[in-house]
Amino acid sequence: MASHIVGYPRMGPKRELKFALESFWDKKSSAEDLKKVAADLRSSIWKQMSGAGIKYIPSNTFSYYDQVLDTTSMLGAVPPRYNWTGGEIGYDTYFSMARGNASVPAMEMTKWFDTNYHFIVPELGPDVKFSYASHKAVDEFKEAKALGVDTVPVLIGPVSYLLLSKPAKGVEKTFSLLSLLPKIIPIYKEVISELKAAGASWIQFDEPTLVLDLDSQQLQAFTAAYADLESTLSGLNVLIETYFADLTPEAYKTLIGLKGVTAYGLDLVRGTQTSDLVKKDFPKGKYLFAGVVDGRNIWANDLASSLSTLQALEAVVGKDKLVVSTSCSLLHTAVDLVNETKLDDEIKSWLAFAAQKVVEVNALAKALAGQKDEAFFSSNAAAQASRKSSPRVTNAAVQKAADALKGSDHRRATNVSARLDAQQKKLNLPILPTTTIGSFPQTVELRRVRREFKANKISEDDYVKAIEEEIKKVVNLQEELDIDVLVHGEPEASILQRNDMVEYFGEQLSGFAFTVNGWVQSYGSRCVKPPIIYGDVSRPKAMTVFWSSTAQSMTKRPMKGMLTGPVTILNWSFVRNDQPRFETCYQIALAIKDEVEDLEKAGINVIQIDEAALREGLPLRKSEHAFYLKWAVHSFRITNCGVKDTTQIHTHMCYSNFNDIIHSIIDMDADVITIENSRSDEKLLSVFREGVKYGAGIGPGVYDIHSPRIPSTEEIADRINKMLAVLETNILWVNPDCGLKTRKYEEVKPALNNMVAAAKQLRTKLASAK
């Protein structure tokens, strides 16, 4: 029985690629140095999978940024602003598209389906001149072959690529991206032909958009694309891989009817109904790559249950046509549990990271072939039983409190307009008030202090003193820049990465466990270390009150208390899979509610409860949206339903498409929302142009912090003017897109200075116009 891995983490067990990329971007190392690190990582991954007995090993799943940008490069679909003149796309053009450069901004970045991974959105139009401009897929296949490893090259399928794209600036929004199919298929044919010539026997097309709600025209595009590719694919075994959800009956019918296709990869973890479609109708002689090992969570597979599922499918598709696989790429999990030296043995026995999932896949394949490793299965069964019965998983008081939430919608007593009036009397802010989102640059020295404190190398007093000094520096800088509502910069979370506050809060909540090296790629070189929610959640003591009060004592200006919201903590963690997600979310909401009320008692008048990942958790199927949004929005409201009218509640949301959930955002009933806007060509503003009325404060980001580029005062003022065209002056806030931790002070200071200058410039203009 054969085994298959959809994809594998790229960063390396110790984030080797991250550090190589950042060294290259900082001009501290050469392109050759970067290439060597990448080649060593690929070699290690391929040999690991080969050594574990995996038959179908993927290649071309390694990326310096993301696989969609790699496909954009393959197709030569470079926006004109990057001045690419043809030929093989090099690092300068590739990374300029991803990160921007001194002259032009980066392309838009958004979430990869409902994950915390991101991709660079292709910008396409009728005038794009496609050409074969990156031979990466072929080069990496040859590289593996030279190492003695026969791989399955993986490409983003042509239809999914177009469906994940957007019309370029200046192109009509009604432009049919699928009309470009005849223009990109010839490039795919060139790549396929080269792979065949290089000796490939299998090829994998990832077509994850097949799990979305597609209309008949979109489904027909799949049929047309693979009919066109059929002759070129002749002689190859072709796998179409789908993941993250069930297929609709219509999409499944389209999939199994595609010309020239040998095998179908299905997610049987999140696609809980898909196996029913297989049992009703599976084409004779085709392969089923059954994704039974979860590629998106870190819990050990229930091998006995998975084996039972596989045996039922084997009876339908045939013994020699069933391949055991992961549900999706293992990119979304941590790399190797072996690197975790601080997790206790009980919790560790419940887990499986990418390396362990490879072993699970092969163990299931062997068991299906009659070579069951009884000791391995027995150990797995014992771990499953331990997790179900462990007293550390269940807290009766927490469950009772969460159950009591039912029956109330937990809204604040006064409407937002009246609250804003009360808050303005207390805060006395100017029009177009300026603020930042939370974090400030995390220096090497700051990370050292945090690391040494965690390692017990410095005392708690020394640690607190160092953090207080950093807070004072950040407060002074904001006062010098004349920012209106301040933040303390989150230095207490400085050792961490993008979801640092999620881990910071998780460390202080019961029911959470933490890894040392459980890093997962979020985008580019950015990695996150998601906490593991293994049990019922509660707050033993106050978490941020000391730091927020300390910061407020340093200034007369309003200081924001900074919290992460329950939905974001949920979506940026590895969540227990033994109860519904909404139950866990309600437990977290109650813990955050306690913290909000303690901050208010401590004199913090502005409290930001970030829900950066609320949109990210939206199910891929529209039929499931309403239920998710109901409990997600309710969870947010629970956190702040008890505060006074004069306490201003902010929230923040990161990169995502918000237009389709704007009414749910309004229903959150926050006083102020800050939201990504700058990298998406002000896409968010179109909602307000279309007549949606928003009465709360809103701060669509005025510049992109994920790029090192420093925007001018004029550029920021122009963005604010676009906002003022559709939003009332008295509700508009001026702020960056996101937190500043990933940037350097030499980038942050001039950017914020220009931001404040733009706000003041427009205040003067608005005052003179009265």
Side-chain angles (χ1 to χ4, degrees):
M1 190 60 60
S3 50
H4 166 250
I5 304 296
V6 176
Y8 201 80
R10 307 157 182 156
M11 284 288 119
K14 297 182 180 177
R15 295 179 290 159
E16 291 88 343
L17 182 60
K18 167 191 169 62
F19 297 121
L21 282 167
E22 291 174 356
S23 177
F24 174 70
W25 293 336
D26 290 341
K27 299 185 174 9
K28 294 178 181 176
S29 60
S30 67
E32 292 308 310
D33 293 330
L34 177 59
K35 288 177 184 176
K36 184 178 186 309
V37 170
D40 288 346
L41 284 171
R42 287 193 296 268
S43 172
S44 172
I45 291 166
W46 290 327
K47 288 178 179 177
Q48 176 191 351
M49 283 193 261
S50 178
I54 302 299
K55 180 175 181 180
Y56 300 110
I57 298 170
S59 60
N60 197 41
T61 58
F62 186 91
S63 178
Y64 287 119
Y65 218 86
D66 80 77
Q67 68 272 34
V68 179
L69 183 60
D70 291 349
T71 309
T72 294
S73 299
M74 182 184 85
L75 297 170
V78 181
R81 65 181 178 275
Y82 299 108
N83 297 318
W84 176 63
T85 55
E88 189 81 3
I89 287 176
Y91 286 154
D92 284 351
T93 300
Y94 181 88
F95 288 127
S96 289
M97 288 191 286
R99 308 176 72 239
N101 58 43
S103 305
V104 291
M107 295 166 70
E108 179 184 355
M109 181 168 66
T110 196
K111 295 291 177 72
W112 177 246
F113 293 82
D114 58 347
T115 74
N116 189 24
Y117 181 66
H118 299 66
F119 72 97
I120 301 297
V121 182
E123 302 172 10
L124 305 178
D127 300 326
V128 175
K129 301 290 189 292
F130 295 100
S131 63
Y132 187 10
S134 170
H135 292 67
K136 175 179 175 294
V138 178
D139 292 343
E140 289 187 13
F141 174 79
K142 290 178 177 177
E143 183 184 328
K145 198 173 180 70
L147 294 170
V149 182
D150 191 24
T151 61
V152 178
V154 179
L155 302 175
I156 295 288
V159 184
S160 286
Y161 176 77
L162 293 176
L163 290 177
L164 293 168
S165 302
K166 70 172 186 177
K169 199 168 187 177
V171 174
E172 289 292 326
K173 298 304 178 188
T174 56
F175 173 71
S176 171
L177 293 160
L178 290 175
S179 68
L180 297 173
L181 206 49
K183 293 186 176 182
I184 68 171
I185 289 293
I187 314 297
Y188 274 88
K189 288 181 176 178
E190 286 188 70
V191 179
I192 293 163
S193 297
E194 286 195 8
L195 287 168
K196 283 169 70 173
S201 58
W202 278 83
I203 186 169
Q204 175 179 319
F205 291 99
D206 280 9
E207 293 282 13
T209 56
L210 271 167
V211 306
L212 303 178
D213 292 311
L214 302 178
D215 60 34
S216 58
Q217 180 189 8
Q218 291 167 325
L219 290 173
Q220 176 57 33
F222 289 93
T223 302
Y226 288 93
D228 198 352
L229 289 171
E230 183 180 14
S231 60
T232 309
L233 290 168
S234 177
L236 279 173
N237 290 294
V238 179
L239 166 63
I240 306 294
E241 187 67 49
T242 69
Y243 35 79
F244 297 154
D246 280 307
L247 294 169
T248 63
E250 295 78 12
Y252 179 74
K253 185 177 179 181
T254 299
L255 173 66
I256 63 175
L258 295 179
K259 300 286 188 182
V261 174
T262 317
Y264 315 105
L266 303 176
D267 182 341
L268 301 181
V269 176
R270 290 188 172 235
T272 55
Q273 308 301 315
T274 298
S275 58
D276 293 337
L277 296 172
V278 172
K279 291 169 186 175
K280 287 178 184 175
D281 182 21
F282 191 80
K284 191 173 177 57
K286 302 292 186 180
Y287 289 84
L288 173 62
F289 281 56
V292 294
V293 173
D294 193 349
R296 285 185 57 175
N297 216 328
I298 43 65
W299 303 109
N301 188 271
D302 184 340
L303 295 178
S305 176
S306 292
L307 185 58
S308 177
T309 298
L310 290 165
Q311 288 167 338
L313 291 169
E314 183 182 54
V316 176
V317 305
K319 195 174 186 68
D320 60 337
K321 298 299 182 183
L322 185 63
V323 178
V324 182
S325 184
T326 54
S327 64
C328 62
S329 173
L330 297 176
L331 172 70
H332 310 288
T333 66
V335 178
D336 196 342
L337 196 55
V338 169
N339 297 319
E340 299 307 322
T341 55
K342 294 187 178 180
L343 279 173
D344 69 69
D345 289 342
E346 183 181 34
I347 290 179
K348 201 170 181 179
S349 74
W350 302 342
L351 307 178
F353 291 179
Q356 287 69 45
K357 289 177 186 290
V358 169
V359 174
E360 288 179 339
V361 167
N362 199 52
L364 285 166
K366 284 186 171 182
L368 208 54
Q371 302 168 35
K372 185 177 179 183
D373 184 334
E374 295 292 352
F376 188 70
F377 269 70
S378 178
S379 173
N380 175 266
Q384 298 292 324
S386 161
R387 187 174 164 218
K388 287 176 183 175
S389 61
S390 175
R392 65 199 301 185
V393 170
T394 305
N395 182 322
V398 170
Q399 292 188 352
K400 183 179 179 181
D403 286 342
L405 295 171
K406 295 165 186 172
S408 171
D409 62 4
H410 296 91
R411 292 182 183 276
R412 292 171 76 178
T414 312
N415 68 42
V416 68
S417 177
R419 297 198 310 261
L420 288 174
D421 287 343
Q423 292 156 15
Q424 179 58 18
K425 286 175 184 174
K426 186 161 192 172
L427 298 173
N428 193 28
L429 297 172
I431 60 168
L432 306 181
T434 55
T435 190
T436 65
I437 303 306
S439 61
F440 264 65
Q442 308 297 294
T443 63
V444 172
E445 174 63 17
L446 196 52
R447 292 177 188 276
R448 181 191 63 76
V449 168
R450 170 80 173 173
R451 192 164 49 245
E452 289 185 355
F453 176 60
K454 292 190 89 172
N456 296 316
K457 292 182 178 178
I458 61 173
S459 70
E460 184 172 356
D461 286 346
D462 288 341
Y463 169 72
V464 170
K465 183 179 177 183
I467 297 301
E468 286 177 339
E469 287 174 358
E470 183 66 21
I471 291 173
K472 184 62 177 173
K473 183 176 80 172
V474 170
V475 169
N476 289 345
L477 173 61
Q478 292 171 92
E479 289 189 327
E480 288 168 16
L481 291 167
D482 205 16
I483 291 172
D484 299 304
V485 176
L486 311 189
V487 298
H488 74 287
E490 301 173 6
E492 71 276 22
S494 61
I495 197 172
L496 311 172
Q497 284 289 329
R498 180 174 168 273
N499 66 343
D500 53 6
M501 294 307 285
V502 174
E503 185 169 356
Y504 176 80
F505 289 117
E507 284 179 334
Q508 301 181 75
L509 294 170
S510 63
F512 282 75
F514 298 88
T515 63
V516 175
N517 291 297
W519 298 99
V520 179
Q521 186 181 17
S522 179
Y523 65 92
S525 70
R526 299 302 170 197
C527 300
V528 297
K529 191 146 56 91
I532 298 166
I533 305 177
Y534 67 83
D536 291 335
V537 177
S538 62
R539 186 196 75 144
K541 61 181 181 179
M543 301 180 286
T544 64
V545 174
F546 173 78
W547 297 118
S548 293
S549 300
T550 298
Q552 184 63 81
S553 71
M554 296 174 179
T555 181
K556 292 182 180 178
R557 301 187 185 208
M559 174 64 60
K560 284 198 276 191
M562 300 300 304
L563 303 173
T564 302
V567 184
T568 296
I569 290 177
L570 185 86
N571 286 335
W572 284 357
S573 299
F574 289 125
V575 183
R576 59 189 295 188
N577 57 1
D578 60 345
Q579 71 177 15
R581 288 173 69 87
F582 70 84
E583 291 186 11
T584 302
C585 198
Y586 284 155
Q587 293 177 0
I588 302 169
L590 287 171
I592 300 300
K593 181 177 186 291
D594 290 343
E595 187 72 12
V596 168
E597 291 172 2
D598 281 350
L599 282 167
E600 185 182 58
K601 288 172 188 171
I604 304 300
N605 296 313
V606 181
I607 302 172
Q608 181 169 308
I609 308 167
D610 286 347
E611 283 296 13
L614 186 138
R615 174 62 173 79
E616 173 185 310
L618 193 69
L620 301 178
R621 283 291 161 64
K622 289 179 182 175
S623 61
E624 300 170 18
H625 286 190
F627 178 66
Y628 167 78
L629 289 169
K630 182 179 179 181
W631 63 255
V633 169
H634 186 195
S635 295
F636 176 81
R637 289 202 306 263
I638 288 166
T639 65
N640 60 87
C641 63
V643 300
K644 295 179 288 190
D645 287 356
T646 50
T647 299
Q648 190 167 81
I649 299 296
H650 288 224
T651 190
H652 170 68
M653 293 185 173
C654 287
Y655 289 112
S656 270
N657 298 312
F658 299 107
N659 297 24
D660 55 346
I661 64 163
I662 190 65
H663 293 288
S664 293
I665 291 174
I666 294 170
D667 198 38
M668 291 170 72
D669 200 28
D671 297 310
V672 178
I673 181 170
T674 55
I675 202 163
E676 185 278 329
N677 176 65
S678 67
R679 220 190 229 211
S680 58
D681 295 328
E682 291 85 30
K683 189 190 300 179
L684 172 71
L685 300 185
S686 66
V687 172
F688 305 109
R689 293 190 191 100
E690 291 161 9
V692 171
K693 298 299 180 186
Y694 192 77
I698 184 167
V702 297
Y703 79 90
D704 175 23
I705 67 87
H706 293 90
S707 169
R709 185 173 169 273
I710 299 166
S712 67
T713 300
E714 293 71 27
E715 181 182 332
I716 294 174
D718 180 60
R719 286 191 185 277
I720 298 171
N721 273 320
K722 288 179 181 177
M723 297 170 192
L724 287 170
V726 293
L727 293 166
E728 296 294 331
T729 306
N730 64 335
I731 66 169
L732 186 62
W733 285 64
V734 177
N735 48 266
D737 262 345
C738 206
L740 302 169
K741 75 178 73 65
T742 61
R743 300 269 56 90
K744 299 170 183 173
Y745 271 106
E746 54 264 36
E747 299 161 346
V748 165
K749 289 179 182 178
L752 289 180
N753 186 68
N754 293 348
M755 183 188 83
V756 173
K760 289 181 175 180
Q761 185 183 106
L762 288 168
R763 284 174 197 160
T764 303
K765 183 179 176 182
L766 289 166
S768 63
K770 286 183 179 179

